[in-house]
Amino acid sequence: MYLEILCLPKINLNLVPNLAKRRKVRGNFKKMKYKLTIFIIVIISLIAYNLFIRKNEDSKFESEQIVYFPIKQINKDSIINIYSKDYVRYIFTKNTTENYILKMIEEYGELNGEEDAKLYDFGISTYGDWKIIQVDKNLSFYAYHNLVGWFFGYEENPEIPEFSIGFAKNIENVNYDYIFHLDPENERGDTGIGVFDNGKSFFIYLPDAYEENGNLTVTDKIKLSKTEKIEFISNEGLEISKINDLNFSIHKIKMYH
């Protein structure tokens, strides 16, 4: 019987360490590749998260800004949202008395008496021949804009003001300041006209001004100049830029508006 002797190939022992090194390098490479993949995924996730947060913050910021955009388009006219709490609102009246002003506000407040009455603060100050009325922040759009015309009264009275002009100062953006008064060409006295600081003219049909944010309608059919209005008032003895320095006596008046 013959025994077959298998001749194994001779192993070069010098190569063994190199093989081990290669295996180790491959293992390290796989680990690095895995870690790199995880790192890339984390970076992409962080970028996506930051973009999402920034988009939400931008949306929130935009939603907190004063909104000036049409909520309804009527031909070329645009009804604009007016948020009363974003304004400090005044009524400028010339050549009248404080007693007359308070009497007229109280009479107006008694209208619509079927609703629950609320107390509103009205500040009154004097500037030369002018009585400046600062309107309660919570007074409705409807009541504020109708009061401007209400001071002209409904009967002969020597205390009826020569002028009654509304001025609404936006607390965030001067472009949204606006000034208005009754349309002198409207015999019914049911329409106010005015202009924003940015030059946009508008009208307000007062009987329909009961919506919470009003019915102020920007239109190209009216051409008014804010600069000319301010100059006119200044020539009549009132510097609007100085009304912040005035002291107002506060009167609490019950109103059903």
Side-chain angles (χ1 to χ4, degrees), residues 55-105:
K55 183 177 180 181
N56 283 348
E57 288 179 348
D58 290 344
S59 299
K60 181 180 179 182
F61 177 78
E62 290 174 1
S63 67
E64 291 174 348
Q65 300 308 297
I66 308 303
V67 181
Y68 179 79
F69 64 92
I71 59 173
K72 184 189 294 182
Q73 199 77 22
I74 305 176
N75 297 326
K76 293 184 178 181
D77 298 340
S78 301
I79 296 179
I80 303 299
N81 273 326
I82 297 295
Y83 301 98
S84 297
K85 292 185 178 181
D86 293 329
Y87 286 88
V88 180
R89 299 175 295 174
Y90 302 93
I91 301 175
F92 305 147
T93 58
K94 186 177 183 182
N95 292 330
T96 187
T97 65
E98 184 170 317
N99 287 336
Y100 175 82
I101 289 171
L102 293 174
K103 171 178 171 289
M104 294 301 289
I105 295 175

Side-chain angles (χ1 to χ4, degrees), residues 1-183:
M1 181 173 58
Y2 296 95
L3 293 175
E4 293 184 0
I5 299 175
L6 298 175
C7 294
L8 296 175
K10 187 177 181 180
I11 298 175
N12 187 346
L13 296 178
N14 293 328
L15 295 177
V16 173
N18 291 335
L19 289 173
K21 285 182 180 179
R22 289 178 185 175
R23 289 174 182 172
K24 185 176 182 180
V25 168
R26 288 175 183 172
N28 290 339
F29 178 75
K30 288 181 179 180
K31 289 180 180 179
M32 289 180 63
K33 186 177 180 181
Y34 175 76
K35 290 180 179 179
L36 183 61
T37 302
I38 296 297
F39 177 75
I40 292 173
I41 292 173
V42 170
I43 293 298
I44 292 174
S45 299
L46 288 173
I47 292 173
Y49 177 76
N50 287 332
L51 288 174
F52 176 77
I53 293 298
R54 181 176 295 179
K55 183 177 180 181
N56 283 348
E57 288 179 348
D58 290 344
S59 299
K60 181 180 179 182
F61 177 78
E62 290 174 1
S63 67
E64 291 174 348
Q65 300 308 297
I66 308 303
V67 181
Y68 179 79
F69 64 92
I71 59 173
K72 184 189 294 182
Q73 199 77 22
I74 305 176
N75 297 326
K76 293 184 178 181
D77 298 340
S78 301
I79 296 179
I80 303 299
N81 273 326
I82 297 295
Y83 301 98
S84 297
K85 292 185 178 181
D86 293 329
Y87 286 88
V88 180
R89 299 175 295 174
Y90 302 93
I91 301 175
F92 305 147
T93 58
K94 186 177 183 182
N95 292 330
T96 187
T97 65
E98 184 170 317
N99 287 336
Y100 175 82
I101 289 171
L102 293 174
K103 171 178 171 289
M104 294 301 289
I105 295 175
E106 289 171 354
E107 286 187 4
Y108 184 80
E110 292 173 357
L111 300 176
N112 301 323
E114 70 276 3
E115 300 178 6
D116 293 334
K118 296 180 181 178
L119 285 176
Y120 293 93
D121 290 338
F122 289 86
I124 299 179
S125 186
T126 300
Y127 188 103
D129 295 331
W130 293 82
K131 295 295 181 187
I132 314 300
I133 306 159
Q134 188 173 30
V135 176
D136 192 297
K137 198 175 188 69
N138 294 313
L139 191 67
S140 69
F141 178 96
Y142 180 92
Y144 169 56
H145 292 82
N146 274 277
L147 266 176
V148 171
W150 181 260
F151 288 120
F152 287 123
Y154 45 84
E155 59 185 17
E156 292 295 327
N157 190 319
E159 295 182 327
I160 290 176
E162 182 179 354
F163 303 116
S164 182
I165 301 169
F167 175 66
K169 183 171 182 57
N170 193 280
I171 61 178
E172 294 287 344
N173 191 331
V174 68
N175 284 324
Y176 304 129
D177 292 358
Y178 65 92
I179 192 166
F180 69 99
H181 50 76
L182 285 182
D183 183 354

Side-chain angles (χ1 to χ4, degrees), residues 165 203 246:
I165 301 169
F203 69 87
L246 298 177

